Amino acid sequence: MEQEFVKALPILHHLMKAGHQAYFVGGAVRDSYMKRKIGDVDIATSASPNEVERLFKRTVDVGKEHGTVIVLWEDETYEVTTFRAESEYKDYRRPEAVRFITSLSEDLKRRDLTINAMAMSAEGELLDYFGGAHDIGQKLIRTVGNPEDRFREDALRMMRAVRFMSQLGFLLEKETREAVIKDRELLAHVSVERKTVEFEKLMQGASSQEAIQTMVQTGLIQELPGLSGYEQQMLEASGFPFSSLDAREERWAALLLFLGLCPKSAEAFLKQWKLPGKVIKKAVQIISVYPAQLEAEAMYRAGEALFSAVKIGMLKKHKTIDEQKLKEVQSLYDQLPIKSLRDLDISGADLMKLRNRRAGKWVAEELRRIEEAVLAGKLPNRKHDIKEWLASWDQH
């Protein structure tokens, strides 16, 4: 049993000592079985939320009505959720009501995919009622039970299915794939924010190529913001290794380049995904300086977006990032005499004093002229030299 589970074992033991059932569930169990790095450890129990709160000194109510209480144990936090069954779903998003139960198998039955519906006991025994281990062995993404039922309960499960394809390198099981094709339009009932979360995780997956191709082939891509009509471009984008980029704005910028959007259209496209303003601004800046030019003026105008543009260019051409080349670009950038207008050794206030003139458009124009001369290596970035240069320039 991995250390992550060992640290959480006292919670299971405490619940069991009080007469309740308790198991590890979800992604951590899946990743343990697959020998992958384990993320958050979640616990399911027959104890009610109120009983969980009574049993542990430090808890946080994050959704008792849905059965979930966070337990703070030593230096970690754990989601402890009561076994539950769900009533009919409304709006293809959430159940109308939740009923607490005492059956682990019934609780696991409501989960989305077989690979996520496994549990592990305190003794390390795998409890697999729906063939999750088999599907892992076959590298298949399959829903628990009838896929159409699962997708009509929560349409986002279609996005989660292809996202796990990307993260795990699995394929969609035949009936699950057919249900995606049939029910994809139900994604209209899902909020943009939830779609964005899943799509960003998909781009980070090592097998995003197969996942993106599946989204195009099933028509799922047509249900995503701004992507309907870009099927061919998305197929071309599928070959790009998005997971090799560290920042989300870089991944979005790479996608924008495949879509062939100009900066103005790109900004409108990203707003449809309800991305943060900072991410939108940086992504648009990256495509504005792509392909990266390594002349002093171009590097200066590009700023930090230069490095993102260089990395995307490398990945588009070679599928890998040349770290040595990146260091050379960094060295060239570091040699720039200034990185921004603020780095000039003379300010607008200095110019107004020197010229004995009030502020006006002329200040920005003069600063721009100084900036260009410094970048071109014609003028040292020292106040004394700049003043002499201005004086000589005035005499022409």
Side-chain angles (χ1 to χ4, degrees), residues 122-154:
E123 294 73 39
E125 178 190 1
L126 184 71
L127 299 159
D128 180 17
Y129 301 104
F130 306 103
H134 171 270
D135 288 342
I136 288 173
Q138 296 297 309
K139 295 189 174 182
L140 287 176
I141 300 294
R142 184 198 309 267
T143 60
V144 175
N146 186 307
E148 288 189 41
D149 291 343
R150 295 290 82 75
F151 296 153
R152 288 172 183 174
E153 288 169 351
D154 183 354

Side-chain angles (χ1 to χ4, degrees), residues 81-86 89 105-112 130 144 150 153 157:
T81 303
T82 304
F83 298 159
R84 66 191 190 193
E86 296 168 341
Y89 278 64
S105 62
E106 286 298 309
D107 175 73
L108 295 175
K109 185 193 290 186
R110 66 180 173 78
R111 296 175 185 262
D112 55 358
F130 306 103
V144 175
R150 295 290 82 75
E153 288 169 351
R157 287 170 171 166

Side-chain angles (χ1 to χ4, degrees), residues 337 369-382 385-386 389 392:
R369 194 164 65 245
I370 297 167
E371 175 190 58
E372 290 173 354
V374 169
L375 282 170
K378 298 176 182 178
L379 174 63
N381 185 30
R382 292 190 296 266
D385 293 290
I386 294 171
W389 182 79
S392 66

Side-chain angles (χ1 to χ4, degrees), residues 261-315:
L261 300 178
C262 67
K264 186 175 181 181
S265 298
E267 183 176 351
F269 170 80
L270 295 178
K271 283 182 177 178
Q272 290 184 67
W273 288 86
K274 298 191 177 179
L275 292 168
K278 282 186 177 180
V279 174
I280 294 176
K281 183 178 179 181
K282 288 180 179 178
V284 171
Q285 187 179 8
I286 292 167
I287 68 167
S288 298
V289 304
Y290 183 90
Q293 304 296 319
L294 300 183
E295 293 80 19
E297 174 79 13
M299 289 194 295
Y300 173 79
R301 300 295 172 206
E304 293 297 323
L306 169 74
F307 304 102
S308 297
V310 168
K311 287 191 285 185
I312 292 171
M314 289 176 179
L315 291 170

Side-chain angles (χ1 to χ4, degrees), residues 236-253:
E236 292 172 10
S238 71
F240 183 83
F242 290 98
S243 62
S244 296
L245 293 168
D246 297 324
R248 62 194 298 206
E249 59 265 19
E250 292 176 342
R251 291 187 286 272
W252 282 106

Side-chain angles (χ1 to χ4, degrees), residues 7-202:
K7 287 178 69 174
L9 267 178
I11 298 177
L12 263 63
H13 290 151
H14 201 53
L15 286 162
M16 293 164 66
K17 189 176 179 180
H20 304 292
Q21 301 173 57
Y23 302 90
F24 297 120
V25 294
V29 177
R30 176 198 66 230
D31 292 338
S32 170
Y33 184 83
M34 294 180 66
K35 309 300 183 199
R36 297 174 79 239
K37 187 178 184 300
I38 294 172
D40 294 336
V41 172
D42 294 331
I43 295 166
T45 179
S46 59
S48 71
N50 289 335
E51 288 170 325
V52 172
E53 286 183 328
R54 283 197 296 269
L55 284 169
F56 296 95
K57 291 181 180 179
R58 296 188 300 154
T59 63
V60 180
D61 176 5
V62 291
K64 280 173 60 178
E65 69 276 13
H66 297 113
T68 301
V69 174
I70 285 183
V71 172
L72 290 79
W73 189 266
E74 295 184 351
D75 58 343
E76 300 289 345
T77 59
Y78 300 95
E79 279 195 7
V80 179
T81 303
T82 304
F83 298 159
R84 66 191 190 193
E86 296 168 341
S87 64
E88 292 294 317
Y89 278 64
K90 58 181 179 180
D91 302 326
Y92 306 96
R93 288 178 295 173
R94 54 184 181 270
E96 292 186 2
V98 168
R99 177 170 52 88
F100 299 138
I101 57 177
T102 58
S103 168
L104 172 66
S105 62
E106 286 298 309
D107 175 73
L108 295 175
K109 185 193 290 186
R110 66 180 173 78
R111 296 175 185 262
D112 55 358
L113 306 172
T114 60
I115 61 173
N116 296 333
M118 300 187 294
M120 186 170 70
S121 71
E123 294 73 39
E125 178 190 1
L126 184 71
L127 299 159
D128 180 17
Y129 301 104
F130 306 103
H134 171 270
D135 288 342
I136 288 173
Q138 296 297 309
K139 295 189 174 182
L140 287 176
I141 300 294
R142 184 198 309 267
T143 60
V144 175
N146 186 307
E148 288 189 41
D149 291 343
R150 295 290 82 75
F151 296 153
R152 288 172 183 174
E153 288 169 351
D154 183 354
L156 189 70
R157 287 170 171 166
M158 290 182 277
M159 286 287 295
R160 283 173 55 80
V162 290
R163 184 254 287 186
F164 278 112
M165 285 183 64
S166 177
Q167 290 180 325
L168 303 178
F170 288 10
L171 297 177
L172 275 187
E173 177 269 335
K174 184 174 178 290
E175 288 186 11
T176 302
R177 182 187 181 92
E178 290 172 353
V180 170
I181 295 171
K182 184 175 181 180
D183 293 329
R184 61 181 173 80
E185 293 180 358
L186 297 179
L187 265 183
H189 299 278
V190 176
S191 72
V192 170
E193 291 87 349
R194 294 179 77 201
K195 294 175 189 174
T196 299
V197 168
E198 294 299 328
F199 189 71
E200 288 194 314
K201 288 180 179 179
L202 183 154

